[in-house]
Amino acid sequence: AVVSTQSTGNPTSLRPLCPTRWTCRVASVESILNNYGTLSKYLDGVRGSTEGARKAPGLAALFGKFSFLFGLLLSLQVFSPLEAFARQLQGKQISAQQVLVVEKTLLRYNADMRKPESISRLYN
């Protein structure tokens, strides 16, 4: 689960990750990124004998690695359009022609993601 915050920045609830889907929800990844510093500090301070407390040091170590942050940023860039595409496909009024247009747009987006300038945007 991921901490959700109000506009004031105060934690309000945990946003669940869905373990049964092949993709995780974009909102969950965004929530992790928006609360990265807070989550990292929290994980560093967790103590106790519960299962969560035993897992906290491992999660804290992940939060300290560049590969974890890069993976979150990359997954957001990959899954955002896929989630939007899936949402459109589930609409009641979508036609076959609209599906083909969205598919071509998604394929163009994926091809553009392979360009060096797209990769550079991950760092900004």
Side-chain angles (χ1 to χ4, degrees), residues 20 39 87:
T20 59
L39 287 168
R87 203 174 295 117

Side-chain angles (χ1 to χ4, degrees), residues 86-99 102:
R87 203 174 295 117
Q88 287 181 342
L89 286 178
Q90 294 170 8
K92 293 180 181 179
Q93 303 298 323
I94 193 164
S95 68
Q97 183 63 33
Q98 289 169 316
V99 169
V102 173

Side-chain angles (χ1 to χ4, degrees), residues 40-63:
S40 183
K41 287 178 188 174
Y42 173 77
L43 290 169
D44 283 337
V46 173
R47 303 286 181 263
S49 60
T50 65
E51 182 180 354
R54 287 191 301 273
K55 291 180 179 182
L59 286 172
L62 276 176
F63 270 74

Side-chain angles (χ1 to χ4, degrees), residues 73-91:
L73 293 169
L74 184 61
S75 67
L76 190 62
Q77 190 172 26
V78 169
F79 291 120
S80 290
L82 289 174
E83 191 172 293
F85 181 53
R87 203 174 295 117
Q88 287 181 342
L89 286 178
Q90 294 170 8

Side-chain angles (χ1 to χ4, degrees), residues 5 11 19 30-31 33 35-37 41 52 60 66 72 81 106 115-116 118:
T5 61
E30 287 174 335
S31 183
L33 288 169
N35 296 291
Y36 200 84
K41 287 178 188 174
F66 171 78
L72 288 172
L106 186 60
K115 295 179 181 176
S118 293

